[in-house]
Amino acid sequence: MTPVAVGLFVETSDGPRLLGSKCATCDTPYFPKAAICNNPNCNGSNLEDAQFGPRGTLWGYTVQYYPPPPPAKYDEPYQPYAIGLVDMVEGLRVLTRISTHAPEAVNVGADVELVIEKLYTDPQGNDVSTFKFREVRE
Ligand SMILES: [Zn+2]
């Protein structure tokens, strides 16, 4: 599959990871990658590449019932999906799609894990992937 954007996520031998950055001075994590540290108590200016994931907790979510406006991409016919905020163990809060077949039955507070899944098929017939989180079932 083709990633929806370059430099957003990567498949490693340990599974998928988000690609972000971390301040070398105060350790504040950023996703996507940041150019400067926004911590008001930090004078650091050196950000290092960092990988985050795969675990977090679902802070909250909503269901996108209607097709989002461009440039959002989706396959026809449009299927409602859940979009949520995940608190990752590294201290990031990430806006993300939730991988589920039952968008109205997602559990706030659930343990979630990062996955790379298809987002849509482009006009040339290529599957385009993005990152999502799904509930961990153990
Ligand atoms: Zn900093």
Side-chain angles (χ1 to χ4, degrees):
M1 286 193 285
T2 306
V4 69
V6 173
L8 213 51
F9 53 86
V10 65
E11 287 277 8
T12 76
S13 55
D14 291 328
R17 297 290 184 271
L18 297 180
L19 296 175
S21 48
K22 196 160 76 168
C23 177
T25 303
C26 70
D27 277 346
T28 299
Y30 294 94
F31 174 78
K33 290 183 183 183
I36 57 168
C37 182
N38 292 315
N39 179 353
N41 300 315
C42 175
N43 294 319
S45 58
N46 184 16
L47 293 191
E48 301 168 337
D49 287 346
Q51 296 185 3
F52 304 112
R55 298 297 285 265
T57 304
L58 184 61
W59 182 85
Y61 79 101
T62 190
V63 178
Q64 179 73 39
Y65 288 103
Y66 302 100
K73 302 278 203 289
Y74 50 85
D75 285 334
E76 300 285 355
Y78 176 77
Q79 298 285 336
Y81 58 88
I83 188 163
L85 287 169
V86 168
D87 286 330
M88 299 187 70
V89 296
E90 293 88 355
L92 287 167
R93 178 168 285 175
V94 177
L95 182 65
T96 177
R97 283 191 185 222
I98 308 299
S99 175
T100 177
H101 294 294
E104 293 168 11
V106 175
N107 295 299
V108 171
D111 290 334
V112 291
E113 63 185 354
L114 183 66
V115 292
I116 307 299
E117 294 184 349
K118 179 186 167 187
L119 180 61
Y120 69 101
T121 302
D122 73 14
Q124 290 73 42
N126 303 307
D127 285 348
V128 177
S129 63
T130 193
F131 69 91
K132 301 178 184 179
F133 281 80
R134 73 176 170 214
E135 287 190 56
V136 177
R137 301 182 195 283
E138 291 165 324

